[in-house]
């Protein structure tokens, strides 16, 4: 049993990880319990608990809003992360941090590997990249996992929107290609890591395996849930922040180093659909 701090514990990813690691000695903190931008709060919590792992699920994730709130995005995604890494290193705790496919510019035609050149095209991606770099510059035990297109049967996300919207006709972009990734699968992998830590610290990619557009994903959700919605592909959808046209990431290094088979996009969705049905939420729409 490990002693584990989880920040952002009430968010979509934090909730999934909290559930997956429930048999460990958990210290889950929501943003109300712990403001990660307050260095003193971070120091006090980590010093008193002395955890084996700090799993940072706290982040500024409002991609479009970040374009007009860059200071806030960088404060949470970079400055706070740097302090967390420094304090974790001081107490010899292993930091597990999550980054994003948005650190890439989307001009690739084959899946990105962890060592590929980064070039974010929006403020959110730039803030997450600065957080990555801050962690790597601290001489501590750390894992950074770039994840993408995160969804779950709980929280606010694309899957839940498609499943619960009253709209019978949806127009979804088919010009962005990525890998929809289940928060449940990320959490299952983190449980595996904590139990079987190879101590090979560094940068990794973890996404459900396979590539599709948002239109493809919406169509798959529509089919799996039997929603009967009419889904139309569109080439463009006006947003404040630019998105990478292609952000598929290669998980081979993760599978090899951690001896772990990452589920496919289809398998990830099957599990989320199953849990969504079990929750009874689908009876409400």
């Amino acid at each position: 049993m490990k002693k584990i701090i989880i920040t952002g514990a009430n968010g979509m990813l934090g909730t999934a990880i909290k559930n997956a690691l429930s048999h460990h000695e958990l210290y889950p903190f929501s943003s109300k319990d712990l403001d990660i931008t307050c260095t003193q709060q971070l120091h006090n919590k980590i010093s008193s608990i002395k955890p084996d792992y700090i799993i940072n699920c706290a982040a500024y994730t409002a991609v479009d809003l970040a374009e007009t709130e860059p200071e806030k995005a960088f404060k949470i995604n970079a400055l706070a992360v740097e302090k967390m890494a420094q304090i974790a290193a001081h107490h010899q705790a292993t930091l597990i941090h999550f980054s994003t496919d948005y650190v890439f510019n989307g001009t690739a035609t084959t899946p990105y590997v962890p060592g590929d050149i980064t070039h974010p095209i929006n403020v959110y991606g730039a803030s997450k990249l600065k957080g990555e770099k801050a962690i790597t510059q601290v001489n501590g035990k750390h894992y950074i996992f770039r994840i993408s297109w995160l969804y779950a049967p709980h929280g606010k996300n694309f899957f839940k929107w498609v499943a619960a919207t009253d709209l019978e006709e949806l127009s979804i972009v088919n010009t962005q290609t990525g890998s929809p990734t289940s928060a449940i699968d990320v959490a299952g992998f983190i449980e595996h890591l904590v139990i079987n830590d190879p101590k090979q610290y560094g940068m990794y990619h973890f996404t459900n395996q396979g590539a599709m557009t948002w239109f493809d994903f919406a169509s798959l959700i529509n089919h799996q849930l039997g929603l009967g919605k009419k889904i139309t592909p569109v080439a463009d959808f006006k947003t404040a922040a630019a998105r990478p046209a292609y952000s598929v990431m290669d998980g081979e290094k993760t599978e090899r180093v951690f001896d772990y088979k990452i589920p496919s996009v289809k398998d990830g969705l099957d599990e989320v659909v199953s849990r969504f049905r079990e929750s009874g939420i689908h009876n409400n729409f």
Side-chain angles (χ1 to χ4, degrees), residues 26-96:
L26 296 186
Y27 296 85
F29 298 112
S30 70
S31 56
K32 290 189 178 69
D33 304 321
L34 172 60
D35 176 3
I36 67 164
T37 67
C38 177
T39 304
Q40 194 60 51
Q41 281 190 39
L42 270 179
H43 182 269
N44 291 347
K45 296 286 190 190
I46 295 169
S47 299
S48 61
I49 293 167
K50 294 183 172 55
D52 299 298
Y53 291 89
I54 299 166
I55 304 177
N56 182 34
C57 299
Y60 181 104
T61 58
V63 177
D64 291 314
L65 198 57
E67 295 297 309
T68 53
E69 292 186 342
E71 285 187 16
K72 187 174 181 182
F74 275 88
K75 186 178 182 183
I76 296 169
N77 291 343
L79 296 177
V81 168
E82 180 178 26
K83 295 298 181 186
M84 189 183 297
Q86 290 169 348
I87 299 166
H90 179 74
H91 291 281
Q92 299 183 319
T94 299
L95 175 63
I96 297 175

Side-chain angles (χ1 to χ4, degrees), residues 233-245:
V234 293
D236 195 26
F237 190 79
K238 288 290 181 190
T239 56
R243 264 77 167 170

Side-chain angles (χ1 to χ4, degrees), residues 9-23:
N10 287 359
M12 178 172 45
L13 183 57
T15 296
I17 289 177
K18 194 166 51 179
N19 292 340
L21 298 178
S22 59
H23 54 289

Side-chain angles (χ1 to χ4, degrees), residues 239-264:
T239 56
R243 264 77 167 170
Y246 180 93
S247 61
V248 180
M249 297 190 291
D250 190 319
E252 186 276 331
K253 179 185 174 185
T254 303
E255 292 191 322
R256 174 172 42 82
V257 170
F258 295 93
D259 190 23
Y260 189 87
K261 179 65 178 171
I262 302 175
S264 68

